[in-house]
Amino acid sequence: MKSTGKAALGFIFVTILIDVIGFGIIIPVMPDLIMSLGHVDNSTASNIGGWMLTAYAIMQFICAPILGNLSDKYGRRPVLLLSLLGFAVDYLFMAFAPTLAWLFVGRIIAGITGASFTTASAYIADISEPEKRAQNFGIIGAAFGMGFIIGPFIGGLLGGFGVRVPFLVCAALTMLNFLYGYFILPESLKKENRREFEWKRANPIGSLMHLRKYPSISGLVISLVFIYIASHAVQSNWAYYGKEVFKWDSTHIGISLGIVGAMVGLVQGVLIRKTIPMFGQEKSIYFGFLLYAIGMFLFGIATEGWMMYAFCVIYCLGGIGNPALMGVISNHVPPNEQGELQGALTSLMSVTAVIGPPLMTGLFSYFTHKSAPVYMPGAPFFLGAVMILIATWIAYRTLYKEKHPSVPQQTT
Protein backbone atom coordinates (compact mmCIF):
# COMPACT_ATOMS: atom_id res chain seq x y z
CA MET A 1 0.00 0.00 0.00
CA LYS A 2 2.88 2.39 0.76
CA SER A 3 4.39 1.87 -2.69
CA THR A 4 1.10 2.66 -4.41
CA GLY A 5 -0.02 5.35 -1.98
CA LYS A 6 0.90 8.33 -4.13
CA ALA A 7 -0.72 6.83 -7.21
CA ALA A 8 -3.86 6.01 -5.26
CA LEU A 9 -4.03 9.59 -3.96
CA GLY A 10 -3.83 10.75 -7.56
CA PHE A 11 -6.70 8.44 -8.51
CA ILE A 12 -8.94 9.66 -5.70
CA PHE A 13 -8.05 13.28 -6.43
CA VAL A 14 -9.17 13.00 -10.06
CA THR A 15 -12.32 11.12 -9.04
CA ILE A 16 -13.33 13.85 -6.60
CA LEU A 17 -12.29 16.57 -9.05
CA ILE A 18 -14.63 15.34 -11.81
CA ASP A 19 -17.41 14.91 -9.27
CA VAL A 20 -16.99 18.48 -7.99
CA ILE A 21 -16.82 19.89 -11.50
CA GLY A 22 -20.22 18.32 -12.11
CA PHE A 23 -21.56 19.81 -8.90
CA GLY A 24 -20.03 23.24 -9.53
CA ILE A 25 -21.47 23.57 -13.02
CA ILE A 26 -25.05 23.83 -11.76
CA ILE A 27 -24.55 26.46 -9.04
CA PRO A 28 -24.63 29.59 -11.25
CA VAL A 29 -27.90 28.58 -12.93
CA MET A 30 -29.75 27.15 -9.92
CA PRO A 31 -31.36 30.46 -8.86
CA ASP A 32 -32.65 31.09 -12.39
CA LEU A 33 -34.03 27.53 -12.68
CA ILE A 34 -35.91 27.81 -9.37
CA MET A 35 -37.22 31.26 -10.28
CA SER A 36 -38.34 29.96 -13.67
CA LEU A 37 -40.11 26.81 -12.44
CA GLY A 38 -41.58 28.42 -9.32
CA HIS A 39 -42.36 31.85 -10.80
CA VAL A 40 -40.82 33.54 -7.75
CA ASP A 41 -38.30 36.32 -7.06
CA ASN A 42 -34.69 35.85 -5.95
CA SER A 43 -35.51 36.26 -2.25
CA THR A 44 -38.09 33.46 -2.33
CA ALA A 45 -35.91 31.32 -4.61
CA SER A 46 -33.13 31.38 -2.03
CA ASN A 47 -35.51 29.95 0.57
CA ILE A 48 -36.64 27.18 -1.80
CA GLY A 49 -33.01 26.42 -2.63
CA GLY A 50 -32.25 26.08 1.05
CA TRP A 51 -35.03 23.55 1.58
CA MET A 52 -33.85 21.64 -1.48
CA LEU A 53 -30.43 21.29 0.12
CA THR A 54 -32.14 20.17 3.31
CA ALA A 55 -34.01 17.38 1.47
CA TYR A 56 -30.66 16.10 0.22
CA ALA A 57 -29.15 16.35 3.70
CA ILE A 58 -31.95 14.41 5.39
CA MET A 59 -31.53 11.47 3.04
CA GLN A 60 -27.75 11.61 3.36
CA PHE A 61 -28.08 11.62 7.15
CA ILE A 62 -30.08 8.40 6.97
CA CYS A 63 -28.03 6.63 4.31
CA ALA A 64 -24.43 7.82 4.74
CA PRO A 65 -23.69 5.67 7.82
CA ILE A 66 -25.12 2.64 6.03
CA LEU A 67 -22.81 3.19 3.08
CA GLY A 68 -19.90 4.02 5.37
CA ASN A 69 -20.33 0.71 7.21
CA LEU A 70 -20.77 -1.16 3.94
CA SER A 71 -17.43 0.28 2.81
CA ASP A 72 -15.84 -1.14 5.97
CA LYS A 73 -17.12 -4.60 4.95
CA TYR A 74 -16.92 -4.65 1.14
CA GLY A 75 -14.30 -1.94 0.50
CA ARG A 76 -14.37 1.70 -0.57
CA ARG A 77 -14.42 1.18 -4.33
CA PRO A 78 -17.91 -0.36 -4.87
CA VAL A 79 -19.57 2.14 -2.54
CA LEU A 80 -17.89 5.04 -4.30
CA LEU A 81 -19.09 3.79 -7.69
CA LEU A 82 -22.66 3.41 -6.41
CA SER A 83 -22.70 6.99 -5.17
CA LEU A 84 -21.54 8.26 -8.55
CA LEU A 85 -24.41 6.50 -10.30
CA GLY A 86 -26.83 8.15 -7.88
CA PHE A 87 -25.50 11.60 -8.72
CA ALA A 88 -25.83 10.89 -12.46
CA VAL A 89 -29.51 10.03 -12.00
CA ASP A 90 -29.99 13.18 -9.91
CA TYR A 91 -28.60 15.42 -12.64
CA LEU A 92 -30.87 13.82 -15.24
CA PHE A 93 -33.89 14.43 -13.02
CA MET A 94 -32.91 18.08 -12.66
CA ALA A 95 -32.23 18.45 -16.40
CA PHE A 96 -35.71 17.32 -17.37
CA ALA A 97 -37.71 18.41 -14.30
CA PRO A 98 -41.03 20.03 -15.31
CA THR A 99 -41.79 21.27 -11.78
CA LEU A 100 -40.03 22.14 -8.54
CA ALA A 101 -41.27 18.83 -7.08
CA TRP A 102 -39.14 16.90 -9.57
CA LEU A 103 -36.09 18.90 -8.54
CA PHE A 104 -36.69 17.72 -4.99
CA VAL A 105 -36.98 14.10 -6.20
CA GLY A 106 -33.59 14.36 -7.86
CA ARG A 107 -32.03 15.78 -4.71
CA ILE A 108 -33.51 12.95 -2.64
CA ILE A 109 -32.00 10.32 -4.95
CA ALA A 110 -28.61 12.04 -4.72
CA GLY A 111 -28.89 12.13 -0.93
CA ILE A 112 -29.55 8.39 -0.75
CA THR A 113 -26.38 7.52 -2.63
CA GLY A 114 -24.32 10.61 -1.84
CA ALA A 115 -21.37 9.04 -0.09
CA SER A 116 -18.62 9.88 -2.54
CA PHE A 117 -16.82 12.30 -0.23
CA THR A 118 -17.39 10.10 2.81
CA THR A 119 -15.84 7.13 1.07
CA ALA A 120 -13.06 9.28 -0.37
CA SER A 121 -12.17 10.44 3.16
CA ALA A 122 -12.05 6.83 4.37
CA TYR A 123 -9.99 5.93 1.29
CA ILE A 124 -7.44 8.60 2.12
CA ALA A 125 -7.33 7.46 5.76
CA ASP A 126 -6.66 3.88 4.56
CA ILE A 127 -3.56 4.78 2.58
CA SER A 128 -2.14 7.54 4.79
CA GLU A 129 0.26 7.34 7.69
CA PRO A 130 -1.28 8.96 10.82
CA GLU A 131 1.09 11.92 10.74
CA LYS A 132 0.27 12.53 7.04
CA ARG A 133 -3.50 12.34 7.23
CA ALA A 134 -4.12 16.04 7.78
CA GLN A 135 -2.05 16.97 4.72
CA ASN A 136 -3.67 14.24 2.63
CA PHE A 137 -7.16 15.27 3.72
CA GLY A 138 -6.21 18.58 2.12
CA ILE A 139 -6.38 16.76 -1.24
CA ILE A 140 -10.17 16.76 -0.90
CA GLY A 141 -10.10 20.51 -0.40
CA ALA A 142 -7.74 20.91 -3.35
CA ALA A 143 -10.09 18.87 -5.57
CA PHE A 144 -12.96 21.03 -4.38
CA GLY A 145 -10.95 24.11 -5.22
CA MET A 146 -10.00 23.01 -8.73
CA GLY A 147 -13.50 21.69 -9.34
CA PHE A 148 -14.93 25.04 -8.39
CA ILE A 149 -12.48 26.78 -10.70
CA ILE A 150 -13.62 24.76 -13.69
CA GLY A 151 -17.21 23.85 -12.82
CA PRO A 152 -18.86 27.20 -12.05
CA PHE A 153 -16.97 28.94 -14.87
CA ILE A 154 -18.22 26.39 -17.40
CA GLY A 155 -21.67 26.46 -15.77
CA GLY A 156 -21.87 30.23 -16.16
CA LEU A 157 -20.97 29.95 -19.84
CA LEU A 158 -23.31 27.02 -20.49
CA GLY A 159 -26.12 28.87 -18.71
CA GLY A 160 -26.14 31.25 -21.66
CA PHE A 161 -27.43 28.38 -23.81
CA GLY A 162 -30.23 27.57 -21.36
CA VAL A 163 -30.62 26.76 -17.68
CA ARG A 164 -31.01 23.02 -18.44
CA VAL A 165 -27.80 22.56 -20.41
CA PRO A 166 -25.42 22.49 -17.39
CA PHE A 167 -27.36 19.60 -15.82
CA LEU A 168 -26.96 17.45 -18.92
CA VAL A 169 -23.23 18.14 -18.89
CA CYS A 170 -23.17 17.21 -15.19
CA ALA A 171 -24.76 13.85 -15.93
CA ALA A 172 -22.17 13.15 -18.63
CA LEU A 173 -19.25 14.15 -16.40
CA THR A 174 -20.49 12.01 -13.52
CA MET A 175 -20.79 8.97 -15.79
CA LEU A 176 -17.26 9.67 -17.01
CA ASN A 177 -16.21 9.75 -13.36
CA PHE A 178 -17.93 6.39 -12.81
CA LEU A 179 -16.10 4.82 -15.75
CA TYR A 180 -12.80 6.24 -14.55
CA GLY A 181 -13.31 4.74 -11.11
CA TYR A 182 -14.51 1.40 -12.48
CA PHE A 183 -11.49 0.84 -14.71
CA ILE A 184 -8.71 2.64 -12.81
CA LEU A 185 -9.45 3.23 -9.12
CA PRO A 186 -7.91 0.44 -6.95
CA GLU A 187 -9.36 -0.80 -3.68
CA SER A 188 -7.75 0.75 -0.61
CA LEU A 189 -9.08 -1.28 2.32
CA LYS A 190 -7.07 -4.40 3.07
CA LYS A 191 -9.07 -7.55 3.81
CA GLU A 192 -7.53 -7.90 7.25
CA ASN A 193 -8.85 -4.43 8.13
CA ARG A 194 -12.45 -5.21 7.12
CA ARG A 195 -15.22 -6.01 9.56
CA GLU A 196 -18.74 -7.39 9.49
CA PHE A 197 -21.67 -5.11 8.75
CA GLU A 198 -23.83 -4.35 11.80
CA TRP A 199 -27.17 -2.57 11.55
CA LYS A 200 -26.88 -1.15 15.04
CA ARG A 201 -23.72 0.66 13.95
CA ALA A 202 -25.19 1.65 10.56
CA ASN A 203 -28.32 3.47 11.65
CA PRO A 204 -27.87 7.26 11.70
CA ILE A 205 -28.41 7.67 15.43
CA GLY A 206 -26.12 4.75 16.19
CA SER A 207 -23.54 6.23 13.83
CA LEU A 208 -23.57 9.47 15.77
CA MET A 209 -23.39 7.51 19.05
CA HIS A 210 -20.23 5.90 17.68
CA LEU A 211 -18.52 9.22 18.28
CA ARG A 212 -19.14 8.75 22.01
CA LYS A 213 -16.63 5.88 21.99
CA TYR A 214 -13.94 8.53 21.78
CA PRO A 215 -14.77 11.15 24.42
CA SER A 216 -11.50 12.94 23.75
CA ILE A 217 -12.84 14.14 20.38
CA SER A 218 -16.35 15.12 21.55
CA GLY A 219 -15.43 18.80 21.86
CA LEU A 220 -13.77 18.74 18.44
CA VAL A 221 -16.92 17.22 16.95
CA ILE A 222 -19.02 20.00 18.51
CA SER A 223 -16.59 22.49 16.97
CA LEU A 224 -17.19 20.84 13.59
CA VAL A 225 -20.94 21.27 14.06
CA PHE A 226 -20.56 25.03 14.36
CA ILE A 227 -18.16 25.15 11.40
CA TYR A 228 -20.47 23.10 9.18
CA ILE A 229 -23.51 25.25 9.98
CA ALA A 230 -21.55 28.48 9.55
CA SER A 231 -20.21 27.37 6.16
CA HIS A 232 -23.71 27.47 4.70
CA ALA A 233 -23.67 31.24 5.00
CA VAL A 234 -21.38 31.05 1.96
CA GLN A 235 -22.26 27.72 0.36
CA SER A 236 -26.03 28.19 0.31
CA ASN A 237 -26.15 31.94 -0.32
CA TRP A 238 -23.33 32.93 -2.67
CA ALA A 239 -25.33 32.90 -5.91
CA TYR A 240 -28.40 34.55 -4.37
CA TYR A 241 -26.29 37.15 -2.55
CA GLY A 242 -24.44 38.02 -5.75
CA LYS A 243 -27.67 38.46 -7.68
CA GLU A 244 -29.27 40.51 -4.92
CA VAL A 245 -26.46 42.88 -3.92
CA PHE A 246 -24.29 43.14 -7.04
CA LYS A 247 -26.82 42.17 -9.74
CA TRP A 248 -24.56 39.37 -10.97
CA ASP A 249 -25.79 37.11 -13.77
CA SER A 250 -25.00 33.40 -14.05
CA THR A 251 -21.75 34.10 -15.91
CA HIS A 252 -20.48 36.49 -13.25
CA ILE A 253 -21.49 34.08 -10.48
CA GLY A 254 -19.56 31.34 -12.23
CA ILE A 255 -16.44 33.48 -12.60
CA SER A 256 -16.54 34.55 -8.94
CA LEU A 257 -16.86 30.96 -7.76
CA GLY A 258 -14.05 29.95 -10.09
CA ILE A 259 -11.76 32.50 -8.45
CA VAL A 260 -12.78 31.26 -4.98
CA GLY A 261 -12.04 27.72 -6.13
CA ALA A 262 -8.59 28.72 -7.38
CA MET A 263 -7.75 30.19 -3.99
CA VAL A 264 -9.08 27.17 -2.09
CA GLY A 265 -7.10 24.84 -4.34
CA LEU A 266 -3.91 26.83 -3.77
CA VAL A 267 -4.39 26.86 0.01
CA GLN A 268 -5.44 23.24 0.54
CA GLY A 269 -3.41 21.71 -2.26
CA VAL A 270 -0.13 23.58 -1.74
CA LEU A 271 -0.04 25.92 1.25
CA ILE A 272 -1.42 23.42 3.77
CA ARG A 273 1.55 21.09 3.18
CA LYS A 274 3.80 23.88 4.39
CA THR A 275 1.71 25.41 7.16
CA ILE A 276 0.73 22.25 9.07
CA PRO A 277 4.34 20.96 9.42
CA MET A 278 5.44 24.51 10.23
CA PHE A 279 2.77 25.49 12.78
CA GLY A 280 1.40 22.07 13.79
CA GLN A 281 -2.19 20.90 13.55
CA GLU A 282 -3.45 22.75 16.62
CA LYS A 283 -2.20 26.21 15.67
CA SER A 284 -3.38 25.63 12.11
CA ILE A 285 -6.89 25.07 13.46
CA TYR A 286 -6.93 28.34 15.41
CA PHE A 287 -5.28 30.44 12.73
CA GLY A 288 -7.48 29.02 9.96
CA PHE A 289 -10.76 29.46 11.81
CA LEU A 290 -9.90 33.04 12.78
CA LEU A 291 -9.30 33.91 9.13
CA TYR A 292 -12.58 32.18 8.21
CA ALA A 293 -14.48 34.38 10.65
CA ILE A 294 -12.84 37.60 9.49
CA GLY A 295 -13.42 36.77 5.83
CA MET A 296 -17.05 35.91 6.38
CA PHE A 297 -17.71 39.14 8.28
CA LEU A 298 -16.11 41.14 5.46
CA PHE A 299 -18.37 39.41 2.91
CA GLY A 300 -21.34 40.70 4.86
CA ILE A 301 -20.26 44.34 4.67
CA ALA A 302 -19.17 44.32 1.00
CA THR A 303 -20.83 47.06 -1.05
CA GLU A 304 -19.11 46.48 -4.40
CA GLY A 305 -18.52 43.28 -6.33
CA TRP A 306 -14.74 43.72 -6.42
CA MET A 307 -14.69 43.64 -2.61
CA MET A 308 -15.86 40.03 -2.63
CA TYR A 309 -12.78 39.06 -4.63
CA ALA A 310 -10.46 40.90 -2.24
CA PHE A 311 -12.09 39.44 0.87
CA CYS A 312 -11.89 35.94 -0.65
CA VAL A 313 -8.14 35.97 -0.03
CA ILE A 314 -8.66 36.18 3.73
CA TYR A 315 -11.56 33.74 3.74
CA CYS A 316 -9.79 31.11 1.64
CA LEU A 317 -6.60 31.27 3.72
CA GLY A 318 -8.82 29.95 6.50
CA GLY A 319 -8.89 26.68 4.55
CA ILE A 320 -5.94 25.38 6.56
CA GLY A 321 -8.18 24.93 9.62
CA ASN A 322 -10.64 22.22 8.67
CA PRO A 323 -8.16 19.60 7.32
CA ALA A 324 -6.07 20.11 10.46
CA LEU A 325 -9.11 19.48 12.65
CA MET A 326 -10.08 16.42 10.58
CA GLY A 327 -6.55 15.09 10.94
CA VAL A 328 -6.65 15.42 14.74
CA ILE A 329 -10.00 13.61 14.91
CA SER A 330 -8.92 10.83 12.54
CA ASN A 331 -5.76 10.13 14.54
CA HIS A 332 -7.92 9.16 17.53
CA VAL A 333 -9.59 6.27 15.61
CA PRO A 334 -8.13 2.85 14.63
CA PRO A 335 -7.72 1.85 10.93
CA ASN A 336 -10.63 -0.61 10.79
CA GLU A 337 -13.10 2.06 11.97
CA GLN A 338 -12.10 4.91 9.66
CA GLY A 339 -15.04 4.23 7.33
CA GLU A 340 -17.43 4.22 10.27
CA LEU A 341 -15.89 7.44 11.56
CA GLN A 342 -16.21 9.19 8.20
CA GLY A 343 -19.78 7.90 7.88
CA ALA A 344 -20.56 9.31 11.32
CA LEU A 345 -18.97 12.65 10.43
CA THR A 346 -20.93 12.74 7.18
CA SER A 347 -24.10 12.04 9.15
CA LEU A 348 -23.13 14.88 11.42
CA MET A 349 -22.55 17.10 8.40
CA SER A 350 -25.97 16.05 7.10
CA VAL A 351 -27.61 17.04 10.39
CA THR A 352 -25.99 20.45 10.16
CA ALA A 353 -27.03 20.64 6.49
CA VAL A 354 -30.61 20.09 7.62
CA ILE A 355 -30.17 23.13 9.85
CA GLY A 356 -27.70 25.30 7.92
CA PRO A 357 -29.34 25.93 4.51
CA PRO A 358 -32.83 26.86 5.75
CA LEU A 359 -31.28 28.89 8.57
CA MET A 360 -28.93 30.87 6.34
CA THR A 361 -31.13 31.16 3.24
CA GLY A 362 -34.13 31.84 5.46
CA LEU A 363 -32.18 34.62 7.15
CA PHE A 364 -31.18 36.00 3.75
CA SER A 365 -34.76 35.79 2.49
CA TYR A 366 -36.13 37.48 5.62
CA PHE A 367 -33.72 40.42 5.47
CA THR A 368 -34.07 40.91 1.68
CA HIS A 369 -37.87 40.54 1.46
CA LYS A 370 -39.96 43.63 0.77
CA SER A 371 -41.50 43.40 4.25
CA ALA A 372 -38.12 43.13 6.06
CA PRO A 373 -37.80 45.49 9.04
CA VAL A 374 -34.19 46.18 8.00
CA TYR A 375 -32.58 45.45 4.63
CA MET A 376 -29.48 43.41 5.56
CA PRO A 377 -28.51 40.77 2.96
CA GLY A 378 -25.22 40.16 4.82
CA ALA A 379 -27.00 38.83 7.92
CA PRO A 380 -26.08 35.15 7.23
CA PHE A 381 -22.38 36.08 7.00
CA PHE A 382 -22.50 37.87 10.34
CA LEU A 383 -24.12 34.88 12.02
CA GLY A 384 -21.59 32.56 10.38
CA ALA A 385 -18.65 34.61 11.67
CA VAL A 386 -19.96 34.41 15.24
CA MET A 387 -20.43 30.64 14.97
CA ILE A 388 -16.88 30.16 13.70
CA LEU A 389 -15.49 32.09 16.67
CA ILE A 390 -17.49 29.84 19.00
CA ALA A 391 -16.09 26.77 17.20
CA THR A 392 -12.56 28.08 17.66
CA TRP A 393 -13.04 28.55 21.38
CA ILE A 394 -14.50 25.04 21.79
CA ALA A 395 -11.60 23.47 19.88
CA TYR A 396 -9.10 25.38 22.02
CA ARG A 397 -10.73 24.29 25.29
CA THR A 398 -10.89 20.64 24.16
CA LEU A 399 -7.27 20.40 23.06
CA TYR A 400 -6.07 22.30 26.12
CA LYS A 401 -7.84 19.88 28.48
CA GLU A 402 -6.39 16.92 26.58
CA LYS A 403 -2.88 18.24 27.15
CA HIS A 404 -3.62 19.26 30.76
CA PRO A 405 -5.96 16.56 32.12
CA SER A 406 -5.25 17.52 35.71
CA VAL A 407 -6.65 21.03 35.28
CA PRO A 408 -9.98 21.16 37.17
CA GLN A 409 -13.02 22.23 35.22
CA GLN A 410 -14.21 25.75 36.01
CA THR A 411 -17.55 26.15 37.69
CA THR A 412 -19.93 29.03 37.47
Side-chain angles (χ1 to χ4, degrees):
M1 183 62 68
K2 289 182 179 180
S3 63
T4 60
K6 290 184 178 180
L9 284 174
F11 293 150
I12 205 70
F13 173 80
V14 174
T15 298
I16 297 173
L17 175 62
I18 297 176
D19 201 19
V20 176
I21 289 173
F23 182 79
I25 282 177
I26 71 174
I27 294 177
V29 298
M30 201 63 185
D32 290 333
L33 181 59
I34 295 175
M35 292 167 65
S36 174
L37 291 178
H39 306 289
V40 296
D41 60 12
N42 184 60
S43 179
T44 305
S46 68
N47 209 13
I48 295 172
W51 286 110
M52 197 171 294
L53 291 172
T54 295
Y56 170 85
I58 290 174
M59 297 312 301
Q60 191 175 64
F61 170 68
I62 296 172
C63 298
I66 296 176
L67 296 179
N69 276 266
L70 285 173
S71 78
D72 281 340
K73 176 177 174 59
Y74 297 107
R76 317 302 184 197
R77 185 173 177 275
V79 175
L80 182 59
L81 294 178
L82 175 64
S83 71
L84 295 178
L85 284 177
F87 275 120
V89 173
D90 165 46
Y91 293 135
L92 290 175
F93 263 92
M94 299 180 83
F96 297 104
T99 64
L100 287 175
W102 283 104
L103 291 183
F104 276 92
V105 171
R107 289 282 78 191
I108 289 171
I109 293 174
I112 292 173
T113 59
S116 57
F117 302 118
T118 304
T119 312
S121 297
Y123 192 107
I124 290 173
D126 290 341
I127 64 174
S128 302
E129 298 296 328
E131 65 275 10
K132 294 290 185 180
R133 280 178 182 159
Q135 292 96 315
N136 289 341
F137 277 132
I139 287 177
I140 296 178
F144 262 97
M146 289 190 65
F148 274 107
I149 297 170
I150 303 169
F153 181 76
I154 295 176
L157 296 178
L158 292 176
F161 297 97
V163 294
R164 309 277 186 162
V165 174
F167 296 98
L168 293 173
V169 175
C170 282
L173 280 175
T174 306
M175 285 306 302
L176 179 63
N177 196 1
F178 170 82
L179 293 174
Y180 175 86
Y182 183 83
F183 288 107
I184 298 178
L185 188 67
E187 179 55 62
S188 65
L189 185 62
K190 297 179 180 179
K191 291 186 177 181
E192 60 266 28
N193 287 334
R194 300 185 186 187
R195 62 174 179 81
E196 291 301 313
F197 179 85
E198 299 177 46
W199 276 107
K200 66 179 181 180
R201 299 173 71 174
N203 72 80
I205 304 301
S207 179
L208 290 176
M209 291 300 101
H210 165 73
L211 296 174
R212 297 176 62 185
K213 293 169 58 178
Y214 307 98
S216 60
I217 67 171
S218 60
L220 301 179
V221 170
I222 294 173
S223 180
L224 270 182
V225 169
F226 280 92
I227 292 295
Y228 286 155
I229 294 176
S231 68
H232 283 282
V234 174
Q235 294 175 12
S236 302
N237 277 312
W238 186 271
Y240 303 102
Y241 186 76
K243 289 178 70 68
E244 177 70 25
V245 178
F246 312 117
K247 310 305 177 186
W248 286 348
D249 58 14
S250 61
T251 300
H252 204 145
I253 292 170
I255 292 173
S256 67
L257 285 172
I259 292 175
V260 172
M263 294 182 186
V264 170
L266 180 63
V267 170
Q268 298 201 353
V270 179
L271 185 62
I272 194 174
R273 295 182 176 273
K274 303 293 184 181
T275 56
I276 288 182
M278 183 183 301
F279 300 117
Q281 291 183 344
E282 186 175 346
K283 289 183 179 179
S284 295
I285 293 171
Y286 307 145
F287 185 61
F289 287 173
L290 181 61
L291 290 175
Y292 261 146
I294 294 173
M296 198 170 288
F297 174 79
L298 292 175
F299 285 155
I301 63 174
T303 56
E304 300 289 341
W306 66 265
M307 294 181 178
M308 297 296 283
Y309 297 104
F311 298 155
C312 275
V313 176
I314 299 173
Y315 176 78
C316 292
L317 283 173
I320 66 174
N322 200 53
L325 182 58
M326 290 289 291
V328 171
I329 293 174
S330 178
N331 288 341
H332 284 76
V333 178
N336 67 341
E337 294 186 8
Q338 288 293 330
E340 185 176 33
L341 170 67
Q342 299 303 329
L345 292 178
T346 300
S347 291
L348 187 70
M349 186 185 299
S350 298
V351 171
T352 61
V354 171
I355 302 169
L359 173 63
M360 297 303 183
T361 59
L363 199 62
F364 174 82
S365 179
Y366 178 78
F367 281 104
T368 57
H369 198 269
K370 294 178 181 179
S371 60
V374 178
Y375 181 75
M376 191 168 55
F381 296 122
F382 301 146
L383 177 60
V386 171
M387 296 185 75
I388 292 171
L389 291 177
I390 294 173
T392 306
W393 180 81
I394 293 173
Y396 169 77
R397 290 296 299 164
T398 302
L399 294 174
Y400 182 84
K401 290 178 181 178
E402 183 177 300
K403 291 186 296 183
H404 304 85
S406 61
V407 176
Q409 191 166 359
Q410 295 181 354
T411 58
T412 58

